[in-house]
Each structure stands twice: as C-alpha cells, then as structure tokens.
Amino acid sequence: MILYIIPMTDQSEVRRPASGLFREIETIQAGKPWGRLLDAGTGTHSIGWVGSLVTEQWTAVTGAEAHAVQVRDAIAPRRREGDRIIVGNWQDPDLLAGETYDTVLADYLLGAIDGFAPYFQHRLFARLLPLVGRRLYIVGLEPYVTVDPGTEESRIIREIGRFRDACLLLAGEQPYREYPAQWTVDHLEASGYRVVAAKRFANRYKQRFVNSQIDMCAPRLAKIADRDLARSLAAHGEALRDRALGRIEREGSLRHGFDYVLAAEPA
Ligand SMILES: C[S@@+](CC[C@H](N)C(=O)[O-])C[C@H]1O[C@@H](n2cnc3c(N)ncnc32)[C@H](O)[C@@H]1O
C-alpha cells in the first residue's frame, strides 16, 4: 500500500466554516481538550474546522492524492510543524498503526468508503478503534431512499440522487453509498464503542445543491459511448433541474432527509 505524506506549502486563505454539524460537535465536546486529533476522511471543509480548534497536533487522512493537495493548500496558513496530511487507505492495516488520538473525526467518511474500499464499511469502526483515545465523532448523511414522506420535494431530491448516481455508474465511477444513522449506531456498538450522543439535522436543499448535482453529470455523460442515451439523460437532467429550481423559487428550499452527528467512545 502506497502511503504519501504531503509536504507543507504556503498558499491561499483558510475560512472558518460555520457548519451547524461542527457546532454540534463542539457542544458535545463541552470544552474538553481536543488533544491530538485525527481527521480520518479529510477534505477542505473538515480541515478548515479542525484548523480552527485548539489541538496539540492533527493528522488528516485521505484516500486521494488530489484531495490531499486541495487540503494542503486550504490549510496552509494554519498548518503547524507536525500537522500531517497523509494519503492512505483504511483497508491497509499499517496505516497509522500504533498511533492514538484523543479525538477522531469521521466527517462523511463512511459514505465515501465505497469509492476507495468497497465492502469495507462494516469493518471501518473496528479498524479505527485502536486509534480512538477518547472520542470518535461521525458525521453522516441518511440515505435519500430511507426517508420517504411522500412529498413532491422529497421525490425530486430522490430523483436527483438516482440521476446523479446513474450518470456516475455509466461513466464507470463509483457513487457514494451512504448508511442510515441506525446502521451506524448498530455497527459502532458491535465494534466495541458505546454511543454517547446522537443528533439529526433536517436538510433543506437550495439552488446551489441542485445545480452542482446536475452540472457534475455533464462530464460523465460526455464519456458515454451511446450518444443517444447520453443526450436523453442530459435532457432528463435539465427537466429535473427545472422542476427542482421552480419548486425552490416557490418554497424557498427542498426539505428532505437529514444529516446526523454521532459521538462514540471505546466501550
Ligand atoms: C466525502 S470526503 C469527506 C468530506 C470532508 N470531510 C470534507 O471536509 O469535505 C471523504 C474523504 O474520505 C476519504 N476516504 C474514503 N474512503 C477512504 C479509505 N478507505 N481510506 C482513506 N480515506 C478514505 C476520501 O479520500 C475523502 O478524503
């Protein structure tokens, strides 16, 4: 398994993210020290928050080198000697072997596992257990399909999700596979943790979400050899966009499903 350590650079600005999910984690932490912190599925969003905390040291892990470079550039002004960005895979038993962190953050890591270590999800928390000194925080998205209030708003979000995933699959890419909060709690408990806090946050999707989901399909559709199929999918995407944006204009947002935050400690 190749493991790269991304060196330091100094570029760009760090902006403190104001995510309600991270604020919830701060509330659960209740002023206790963060100590050494592991961002086990890093990205520009989580590292911006991690960089704003008082930590002794942080380590950020990603499965993709391109991601690591984005994270390095985003956190450059706040990165200290000893803060590490590592490209590795949690399937690799040697990754951070023997290390322990007071706080471990798995921010939308579970849903992204399918792209890096398919069928490894049920082993993720056991894999992280020896690294968790005090607390593991998990941020996840309840899969669109497990929530079905039967509303038009809900139908649109589910259709956008199916359309996006179909385009990714047809282009030979692996979509995210999210897991329900209850699945995550069950697997934490079966993996040697006790869950100490759980909270859900209702999602309201706006224009930016709709446009980003439909727009990301264009380069994928360009790769499909069957041009009739690609054209017809593109038209379907635009119809979905119109439906979603029209509804958002009338209602302000599309309400569907929830994100969740869980806090767990070694049992
Ligand atoms: C959706 S992104 C996380 C979002 C991120 N916290 C942010 O701020 O935007 C998922 C992250 O988990 C990493 N990841 C997914 N599966 C992994 C695996 N098996 N091993 C290591 N990293 C993995 C991805 O490379 C990526 O860095």
Side-chain angles (χ1 to χ4, degrees):
M1 172 55 57
I2 305 165
L3 193 143
Y4 304 95
I5 304 216
I6 303 290
M8 291 176 77
T9 183
D10 53 6
Q11 289 171 27
S12 73
E13 286 298 301
V14 175
R15 143 188 83 81
R16 192 188 195 289
S19 157
L21 303 168
F22 290 140
R23 274 203 302 273
E24 177 62 22
I25 294 177
E26 291 174 9
T27 303
I28 300 169
Q29 183 75 0
K32 290 190 209 75
W34 301 96
R36 296 183 70 229
L37 190 149
L38 170 64
D39 182 1
T42 196
T44 52
H45 194 217
S46 55
I47 203 64
W49 177 66
V50 167
S52 75
L53 302 173
V54 179
T55 55
E56 286 169 26
Q57 181 268 343
W58 54 253
T59 296
V61 171
T62 176
E65 204 177 342
H67 228 123
V69 169
Q70 283 173 9
V71 167
R72 178 198 63 187
D73 293 347
I75 197 62
R78 291 203 199 165
R79 187 169 167 196
R80 304 156 298 189
E81 285 298 332
D83 291 336
R84 294 182 300 167
I85 301 169
I86 292 175
V87 181
N89 196 312
W90 290 118
Q91 246 180 343
D92 172 8
D94 293 333
L95 178 62
L96 303 189
E99 299 193 16
T100 305
Y101 293 83
D102 302 292
T103 313
V104 177
L105 172 68
D107 176 49
Y108 297 115
L109 168 63
L110 181 61
I113 288 282
D114 233 29
F116 295 86
Y119 309 109
F120 184 70
Q121 290 89 343
H122 65 296
R123 288 170 48 199
L124 177 66
F125 303 126
R127 172 65 180 85
L128 294 178
L129 185 62
L131 292 153
V132 181
R134 285 207 290 259
R135 193 165 275 177
L136 168 66
Y137 288 108
I138 294 162
V139 178
L141 169 68
E142 186 73 17
Y144 296 155
V145 293
T146 61
V147 185
D148 183 12
T151 62
E152 170 67 358
E153 299 175 52
S154 218
R155 249 190 310 278
I156 294 174
I157 292 297
R158 289 155 57 108
E159 278 184 47
I160 289 175
R162 279 199 294 269
F163 170 70
R164 174 203 59 210
D165 290 354
C167 293
L168 287 166
L169 286 168
L170 287 168
E173 294 179 42
Q174 194 60 37
Y176 287 158
R177 182 177 172 80
E178 307 294 347
Y179 283 76
Q182 188 60 55
W183 185 99
T184 308
V185 168
D186 292 346
H187 280 76
L188 282 166
E189 288 174 351
S191 305
Y193 298 81
R194 70 191 176 94
V195 175
V196 295
K199 190 151 182 186
R200 49 168 68 181
F201 295 80
N203 281 330
R204 288 170 170 267
Y205 296 96
K206 301 209 168 165
Q207 284 94 341
R208 198 160 61 129
F209 168 83
V210 172
N211 287 324
S212 71
Q213 301 296 288
I214 307 291
D215 290 345
M216 71 180 272
C217 293
R220 274 75 186 199
L221 292 177
K223 290 187 191 163
I224 297 177
D226 182 337
R227 297 315 302 156
D228 287 340
L229 176 62
R231 267 189 295 276
S232 145
L233 279 167
H236 180 69
E238 290 313 317
L240 260 179
R241 189 200 304 266
D242 288 348
R243 233 170 97 205
L245 294 182
R247 186 106 197 164
I248 292 170
E249 212 169 298
R250 289 193 298 280
E251 310 286 337
S253 65
L254 297 170
R255 282 162 299 173
H256 177 74
F258 58 90
D259 283 311
Y260 57 87
V261 170
L262 301 172
E265 295 177 348

